[in-house]
Amino acid sequence: MTILIADDAAFMRMRLRKLLEEAGHDVIEAANGREAVAKYQEHRPHAVLMDITMPELDGVAATREICQSDPTARVIMVSALGQQAMIVAAIQAGAKDFVVKPYEPERILQAIDKWARVG
Amino acid sequence: MRFDEIRWDSEEERALFLEEAFELLGTLEEGALKTPPPIEAMFRAAHTLKGSGGMLGLTEWVERAHRLEDAIDRRGRPDWQWTPELQQLVLETVDALRAELSGAPADDRTALVRFDLRWSASCPMPGVRALQAYNAVSAAIPGTMSDPPVDRLGDWHGEVSVLWVPSVADVEEQVQALLAVVDDLVEVKRVDRALEAPHLTESPTDESQRPDRRDATLRISADTLEAIMEGIGELLLDHGQLEHRLGHALDSATRSVFEHMRRRALDLQDLTLRARMLPLDTLFRQYPRAVHDIARKLNKKIELKTQGGDTELDRVVMDRLHEPLLHLLRNACDHGIESPEERIQLGKPETGTVRLTAYAAQGHVHIQLEDDGRGIDWQKLRDKAEREGWMSHDEAERAREEELQDLLFRPGVSTRDQVTDLSGRGVGLDVVRAFLDEIHGAISVESRWGQGTTFHIELPMTMAIVTALIVEAGPWTVGFPIATVERIESVSVAGVKSALGHDAVSDRNTPLPVFSLTELLDPDQPHEDHYVVRVKDGRTQAALTVGEVTGQQEIVIKPVEGLTGLTPWLSGVALLGDGRLALVVDVRRLVPVTRSEGEALREDDVILLGSNQMELLVFRLNGDQRYGINVYKTREVLPATTVTRVAGQHPWLDGVVYVRGQALPVINLYRALDLDPQADSAPLLMVAEFNQTVQAFGVYEVEQMVRVGWDAVETLPDLMEGHNRFVTGLINHPTLGTIQLLDFEALLAAVAPPAPEAEPQLPPLGPEVTVWLADDSAVARQQVEKALASLGVTMRTFRDGTELLAAVRGEGARPDVVVLDVEMPKLDGYSVARQLKESAETAAIPIILHTSLSGKWQASRAQEIDADAVITKFDPGLLAATVVRLVAARPLSAVS
């Protein structure tokens, strides 16, 4: 599957990329929300792992744009515990799931598999 | 018409009405409990409720809503005011309307189907998950409703949320399938009367077509969990017994299977424990309304503030905490908070405040209930204590508040004599305490007359999960409760400097002492420290250097029976994920008290030098007589194990046991004390370390630890000396009765007399040199006299420190050297030393502290008190040599 990782921290992207590639997925990266929306339109990935706090366009706004253009988009928020209100907003904007940081790698892979099965 | 009589045109219509009504009722209820209430929003809510009800022809409903709307309509009423009566009206109306709505769905099974969604206790944001669930279901089945309502799910925390789903075809299969994508969902359960109809009659669908049920679980009752817990506990006990019985016969392969078994059982115990944790909010959420209702009944104004509701607690404990806590709340409202008139007169705010705070610390969950009411009338309690004959007049007048607070928890004691229908006559504090005893919790009370009362509840650590910082120190893995950790930095960054003769780092420009954690645990342990961890707990603050920082982990702390005495800094141990065992430390007791922290001496949690107190481990041998041993002498208490007899052993010896690879002599107290010989049935083995040796004693029961002042210890009448030569003192404890303090050193000397040593080759000092000795043990006095005999000095002995002090003060005599036992009745050695050193006239007298307590802890403590030397019993050569050295080093002016 093709997965889009949207996170402004290069380290996080690297970690996620490693994890996903080892599980046999193809990875596209975006370093901010604006780029995430553009890359989504361009590649139509199977799923998006979306950070919340990002420059240019935050994860919630990016999710909203992506889900408006493609209601079937599988956006999974990856966020810290304190960001509850943001996650709620993202879910209402169309995000399908969330994983709380710090996450166990297994959780990410499970979430992706799960959504792959559903749709 | 009532709600349950309506014939609905469509499910959607009904669902919409219900959802809206729930939301509006929520707005009203929450608004009514706010200050100031959002009247406009509440008015609109009442208005809408009336309107929608009217459309449906709900007569009672409309009437109630109308009355409410009228009452809170302030348009054109300049003198309109929000009053407690109005608040009550709002709440009552909400209750009544909710009552009309409730029950309805259950009566009408075709309309909406209720699904209970149970969320995993470890789920970080159940509200967001519930929202996700609602979104998933309502997208496929329109008309689905959520309780709590959607707009409140964001910050909802709870265990079970409810979805009302229109009863479409195959609703259950659909909902289950839709919810399969939602994480942390432990169980989805359809709740309706049809539940009893056997689902088995439905033809089972092909397994492969079923939605993935990996996340699906069964509902388990708390009782079952409890039984599992107990079962695992028993398994662990059985395991211990088996291993013990087979003992040395096991080969290494079998041993590793045994070890594996124990590990798995511990893991299971952890898992089960975690399954039972719930945030305290589950409980706290019920109280604002309760307090409101109580206050109204009492015509008082009371505000409840809660804090720390996210602290997690074992649900079994929580279930049993509810009643006692509610009772304390009632007490605070009823007996604590004054009437508004009284408060105004007293210059207090009209509205009283009750504060409920929870936090986890030191592996305990603490709950504090504080009110700013009238407080406890201690004088009244003193009078009562005297009247009831619990205390003599003098005792009652002299008793400190801590002693008096004990009385509060007696049955039938109240600080207030009025009877009210809410809390009766203070009946219940005894019940509260009984409950806490049952789960090994504790309660204490602090109160200032006129200012308020604080109840402090401490619940046991085993039930609580704590986040800890895990570090490596030498060979040990150590956990600090995260709440005590202030900062972590590498040694090179921290900038350790020397200040006031001690390593220190700068903390906001004041030096913070630096200790090596490894050295605190064992000074001889080689180590290499890379990190500085700054810790703070209460007023104790320090920087500790450690080898490595492993990270944070959630741990379940298990207390270590019997170790707390020897290692007061150890709150327990925790099994880490990788199978290692971490020592969890209590920072307050770990960090040595530094000289500059004079005020820390008042910290009453730790027994400090010169506080003249000790902690006593109380045990029984047979009958009701209780015996005590200083916990600093004890190492651990174990179930009795096989004792190997040794040929030619002393009749008071049972033989030898192997404990952690060490052979220890077992001394039979029953025979030594001439008690009914139950030696073979003594179920426990108490391992004690003193006089630099380790030995074990069979005892019947170890009851508890109590803190007693040495001043409460009575010496025995002279007449008794010969008879009870193994008892050094008696304590009359208020609840435990008489506790006999055993002279363990004498016991040891009787069983294993110190080996005759080569006479020390020391120059005699002569009879003009006087050595004074205070020791409560006759055997010890003899031993010291014998050790110093060759010096030819003049000895004078005292049975306790007060006698010696009296002689120094009364006679003006100035001994050349004073030898003080540490543990003595009335005044301990530390306190005697302190008093001697504090007086200019006696400060120059050299002091030797002679202690049977082994270990570095004692040594470092003694040094802080300015003793000139500390000698661990019993080394005659060293004692004599030290006397000689100190006499030689005397300042000239002090020579008599």
Side-chain angles (χ1 to χ4, degrees):
Chain A
M1 273 180 282
T2 310
I3 316 290
L4 171 63
I5 301 169
D7 198 311
D8 55 332
F11 173 71
M12 283 295 295
R13 292 202 302 272
M14 188 264 279
R15 289 273 298 265
L16 280 169
R17 171 183 280 277
K18 196 157 161 279
L19 174 73
L20 293 171
E21 285 183 345
E22 276 170 12
H25 300 296
D26 294 323
V27 173
I28 310 161
E29 293 183 20
N32 60 54
R34 178 64 54 217
E35 201 182 324
V37 176
K39 290 262 173 81
Y40 187 88
Q41 312 296 13
E42 185 187 338
H43 298 277
R44 291 276 160 164
H46 292 90
V48 186
L49 293 178
M50 184 79 81
D51 183 28
I52 287 188
T53 332
M54 285 189 292
E56 303 273 332
L57 193 64
D58 71 22
V60 177
T63 301
R64 188 170 294 118
E65 284 194 23
I66 290 173
C67 293
Q68 268 165 10
S69 72
D70 176 7
T72 66
R74 301 182 196 100
V75 181
I76 298 164
M77 308 307 290
V78 182
S79 82
L81 255 185
Q83 297 179 303
Q84 187 144 337
M86 304 288 276
I87 302 175
V88 170
I91 297 251
Q92 270 155 352
K96 293 286 194 294
D97 205 346
F98 68 96
V99 176
V100 176
K101 280 196 278 201
Y103 50 81
E104 290 151 25
E106 210 37 39
R107 286 296 275 251
I108 296 269
L109 295 177
Q110 271 172 12
I112 287 176
D113 287 350
K114 193 172 71 186
W115 286 100
R117 277 200 312 276
V118 171
Chain B
M1 185 156 54
R2 284 181 58 86
F3 182 74
D4 50 7
E5 294 157 1
I6 299 173
R7 302 175 76 95
W8 295 90
D9 292 339
S10 73
E11 299 302 340
E12 263 183 84
E13 188 187 359
R14 175 185 176 138
L16 195 64
F17 177 82
L18 270 176
E19 179 172 11
E20 198 180 68
F22 277 130
E23 279 188 43
L24 293 168
L25 290 171
T27 307
L28 280 169
E29 184 176 53
E30 275 170 21
L33 294 170
K34 273 185 197 149
T35 349
I39 288 298
E40 294 309 325
M42 289 165 66
F43 173 74
R44 282 195 304 274
H47 180 78
T48 311
L49 281 169
K50 184 185 75 172
S52 317
M55 292 279 292
L56 292 169
L58 298 174
T59 39
E60 252 178 80
W61 173 288
V62 170
E63 199 198 312
R64 280 184 200 280
H66 180 73
R67 241 185 298 150
L68 179 61
E69 185 190 357
D70 250 12
I72 60 177
D73 183 3
R74 63 181 175 193
R75 289 171 303 177
R77 289 157 74 181
D79 55 343
W80 183 92
Q81 264 192 335
W82 176 246
T83 63
E85 290 71 37
L86 277 179
Q87 183 188 39
Q88 195 56 27
L89 176 68
V90 175
L91 294 174
E92 278 172 7
T93 310
V94 167
D95 285 351
L97 297 186
R98 276 220 188 105
E100 188 166 345
L101 291 178
S102 75
D107 287 344
D108 191 353
R109 121 174 64 132
T110 56
L112 287 169
V113 183
R114 172 180 170 153
F115 288 90
D116 280 4
L117 277 51
R118 181 174 293 274
W119 301 99
S120 152
S122 64
C123 170
M125 302 175 208
V128 187
R129 289 290 180 213
L131 177 64
Q132 208 189 329
Y134 166 82
N135 282 352
V137 175
S138 67
I141 311 175
T144 298
M145 288 186 312
S146 167
D147 183 21
V150 175
D151 64 340
R152 278 199 264 157
L153 279 180
D155 47 11
W156 176 77
H157 280 277
E159 211 189 10
V160 178
S161 63
V162 176
L163 284 181
W164 294 101
V165 185
S167 137
V168 294
D170 297 331
V171 65
E172 189 163 1
E173 283 70 18
Q174 280 206 51
V175 168
Q176 293 281 9
L178 290 164
L179 292 178
V181 296
V182 181
D183 260 351
D184 296 318
L185 186 50
V186 173
E187 180 199 35
V188 178
K189 189 177 165 198
R190 177 180 175 148
V191 184
D192 56 13
R193 284 185 300 183
L195 201 65
E196 275 124 56
H199 284 276
L200 290 175
T201 55
E202 293 168 16
S203 63
T205 47
D206 183 0
E207 272 307 308
S208 62
Q209 285 173 0
R210 292 213 159 211
D212 191 332
R213 300 273 182 119
R214 269 194 310 174
D215 291 346
T217 333
L218 296 171
R219 178 196 285 256
I220 289 187
S221 79
D223 285 349
T224 312
L225 265 180
E226 183 87 336
I228 294 177
M229 221 30 202
E230 275 174 23
I232 298 171
E234 277 171 28
L235 213 58
L236 278 167
L237 278 178
D238 287 352
H239 172 270
Q241 282 199 349
L242 256 185
E243 196 173 36
H244 170 68
R245 273 166 193 269
L246 300 174
H248 312 291
L250 290 178
D251 58 44
S252 69
T254 320
R255 194 175 291 280
S256 85
V257 174
F258 257 97
E259 177 55 23
H260 183 258
M261 243 171 88
R262 191 183 66 90
R263 276 271 192 74
R264 287 290 84 79
L266 285 174
D267 287 354
L268 285 175
Q269 200 172 35
D270 266 10
L271 272 174
T272 320
L273 209 56
R274 271 158 208 268
R276 305 197 307 184
M277 303 296 273
L278 282 179
L280 265 168
D281 260 340
T282 327
L283 203 57
F284 285 3
R285 232 185 286 129
Q286 314 171 15
Y287 295 140
R289 183 69 195 265
V291 166
H292 169 84
D293 290 347
I294 294 168
R296 199 178 147 265
K297 215 160 181 177
L298 294 166
N299 284 322
K300 291 180 182 179
K301 295 191 171 174
I302 304 172
E303 190 183 1
L304 176 72
K305 291 183 174 164
T306 60
Q307 221 178 341
D310 53 350
T311 312
E312 289 200 324
L313 189 64
D314 194 310
R315 64 173 298 161
V316 177
V317 181
M318 190 139 28
D319 285 348
R320 289 150 83 183
L321 187 61
H322 173 65
E323 278 300 318
L325 211 50
L326 191 61
H327 187 88
L328 289 177
L329 272 173
R330 276 197 209 116
N331 256 348
C333 296
D334 189 5
H335 297 198
I337 305 286
E338 309 89 339
S339 68
E341 302 76 40
E342 206 178 334
R343 290 182 66 90
I344 290 170
Q345 262 182 4
L346 290 167
K348 290 184 175 183
E350 190 181 5
T351 302
T353 304
V354 178
R355 202 180 292 274
L356 195 52
T357 313
Y359 58 94
Q362 273 79 54
H364 283 76
V365 169
H366 299 256
I367 297 176
Q368 221 164 288
L369 190 122
E370 186 186 350
D371 70 63
D372 65 348
R374 60 168 65 85
I376 290 170
D377 189 344
W378 295 107
Q379 191 51 48
K380 210 163 183 171
L381 196 59
R382 288 179 205 276
D383 296 346
K384 170 124 184 167
E386 191 187 333
R387 223 172 33 242
E388 297 282 334
W390 296 329
M391 289 182 171
S392 71
H393 176 76
D394 284 354
E395 277 171 346
E397 290 307 310
R398 264 206 327 261
R400 281 168 297 141
E401 286 175 8
E402 302 94 87
E403 297 168 69
L404 287 170
Q405 66 157 283
D406 219 44
L407 302 176
L408 278 176
F409 296 96
R410 289 194 179 212
V413 176
S414 168
T415 48
R416 189 140 179 237
D417 289 318
Q418 257 181 27
V419 182
T420 68
D421 72 325
L422 277 173
S423 12
R425 299 182 56 190
V427 173
L429 280 185
D430 55 326
V431 178
V432 172
R433 166 119 103 191
F435 154 79
L436 290 164
D437 280 349
E438 223 172 278
I439 55 163
H440 308 290
I443 183 166
S444 60
V445 57
E446 257 177 71
S447 183
R448 285 268 191 91
W449 176 232
Q451 292 180 25
T453 305
T454 304
F455 282 95
H456 189 116
I457 296 175
E458 195 174 300
L459 295 165
M461 56 174 81
T462 34
M463 312 280 186
I465 292 180
V466 168
T467 308
L469 180 75
I470 310 292
V471 303
E472 307 288 335
W476 295 288
T477 304
V478 176
F480 293 99
I482 204 75
T484 66
V485 176
E486 288 214 302
R487 203 194 315 177
I488 306 163
E489 54 214 332
S490 89
V491 167
S492 56
V493 174
V496 179
K497 295 187 194 72
S498 187
L500 305 169
H502 200 285
D503 282 350
V505 292
S506 172
D507 181 62
R508 291 169 213 107
N509 295 326
T510 58
L512 185 64
V514 176
F515 302 93
S516 161
L517 181 56
T518 317
E519 274 172 36
L520 286 178
L521 301 181
D522 177 3
D524 302 325
Q525 195 68 46
H527 59 92
E528 198 179 321
D529 289 344
H530 301 295
Y531 292 94
V532 178
V533 178
R534 295 187 187 200
V535 291
K536 183 175 184 197
D537 192 355
R539 276 174 303 191
T540 308
Q541 200 176 2
L544 300 170
T545 57
V546 302
E548 295 295 337
V549 174
T550 311
Q552 280 185 29
Q553 223 179 85
E554 296 226 304
I555 54 170
V556 177
I557 302 179
K558 297 189 171 66
V560 185
E561 299 294 336
L563 258 181
T564 37
L566 194 71
T567 54
W569 47 268
L570 186 68
S571 347
V573 298
L575 195 68
L576 302 183
D578 56 7
R580 280 181 307 164
L581 216 53
L583 308 173
V584 184
V585 298
D586 179 344
V587 168
R588 284 175 306 170
R589 297 174 191 224
L590 174 73
V591 175
V593 181
T594 47
R595 194 77 71 79
S596 55
E597 284 179 294
E599 64 163 11
L601 281 172
R602 283 192 293 270
E603 180 88 64
D604 58 19
D605 272 354
V606 187
I607 295 196
L608 288 154
L609 294 178
S611 66
N612 203 30
Q613 287 189 325
M614 66 171 152
E615 208 141 355
L616 212 55
L617 190 72
V618 179
F619 61 92
R620 288 194 295 139
L621 295 169
N622 62 1
D624 288 335
Q625 178 59 54
R626 290 173 166 92
Y627 299 89
I629 180 171
N630 190 331
V631 292
Y632 282 107
K633 281 185 179 160
T634 60
R635 215 192 228 188
E636 59 187 324
V637 178
L638 306 163
T641 83
T642 322
V643 178
T644 313
R645 288 190 63 82
V646 178
Q649 65 191 19
H650 190 280
W652 293 354
L653 278 179
D654 280 346
V656 174
V657 289
Y658 287 90
V659 175
R660 304 187 202 299
Q662 196 181 5
L664 306 178
V666 181
I667 300 176
N668 188 316
L669 288 175
Y670 297 88
R671 259 173 262 152
L673 301 176
D674 215 0
L675 300 170
D676 182 22
Q678 291 189 333
D680 295 334
S681 63
L684 294 175
L685 206 56
M686 182 171 79
V687 180
E689 179 178 12
F690 51 87
N691 287 27
Q692 294 180 314
T693 60
V694 184
Q695 42 275 317
F697 301 88
V699 300
Y700 179 69
E701 186 187 10
V702 172
E703 291 190 318
Q704 56 175 299
M705 273 196 270
V706 293
R707 184 170 299 186
V708 292
W710 279 107
D711 52 0
V713 179
E714 301 291 337
T715 41
L716 285 176
D718 282 341
L719 201 65
M720 303 290 294
E721 275 265 298
H723 273 297
N724 291 317
R725 56 201 155 141
F726 295 127
V727 177
T728 54
L730 299 173
I731 293 166
N732 209 350
H733 192 270
T735 54
L736 297 175
T738 307
I739 303 173
Q740 296 190 4
L741 286 187
L742 293 182
D743 186 345
F744 282 94
E745 294 146 57
L747 266 164
L748 185 64
V751 174
E757 274 191 46
E759 274 297 300
Q761 293 304 308
L762 290 164
L765 292 169
E768 70 278 6
V769 173
T770 53
V771 176
W772 286 14
L773 162 73
D775 198 314
D776 57 322
S777 161
V779 174
R781 290 198 297 270
Q782 250 175 30
Q783 286 176 332
V784 173
E785 278 187 296
K786 223 171 117 195
L788 301 184
S790 69
L791 299 178
V793 296
T794 308
M795 290 284 297
R796 185 164 166 193
T797 59
F798 303 86
R799 288 193 315 173
D800 63 57
T802 48
E803 284 181 15
L804 183 139
L805 274 181
V808 169
R809 287 178 183 151
E811 304 166 15
R814 295 288 173 266
D816 295 290
V817 176
V818 166
V819 181
L820 295 172
D821 181 24
V822 170
E823 299 174 282
M824 289 187 290
K826 294 181 187 161
L827 209 56
D828 68 9
Y830 296 128
S831 305
V832 176
R834 168 163 294 196
Q835 292 195 14
L836 286 174
K837 289 295 180 188
E838 272 172 3
S839 156
E841 287 158 33
T842 52
I845 302 175
I847 295 174
I848 298 174
L849 272 181
H850 202 206
T851 174
S852 63
L853 305 175
S854 307
K856 143 192 178 359
W857 275 91
Q858 287 308 122
S860 68
R861 286 184 132 197
Q863 263 142 24
E864 285 164 32
I865 205 128
D866 280 332
D868 298 81
V870 182
I871 296 177
T872 306
K873 288 178 180 177
F874 186 76
D875 186 340
L878 179 62
L879 181 62
T882 308
V883 169
V884 170
R885 176 171 65 83
L886 290 177
V887 169
R890 274 179 311 181
L892 281 175
S893 59
V895 178
S896 50

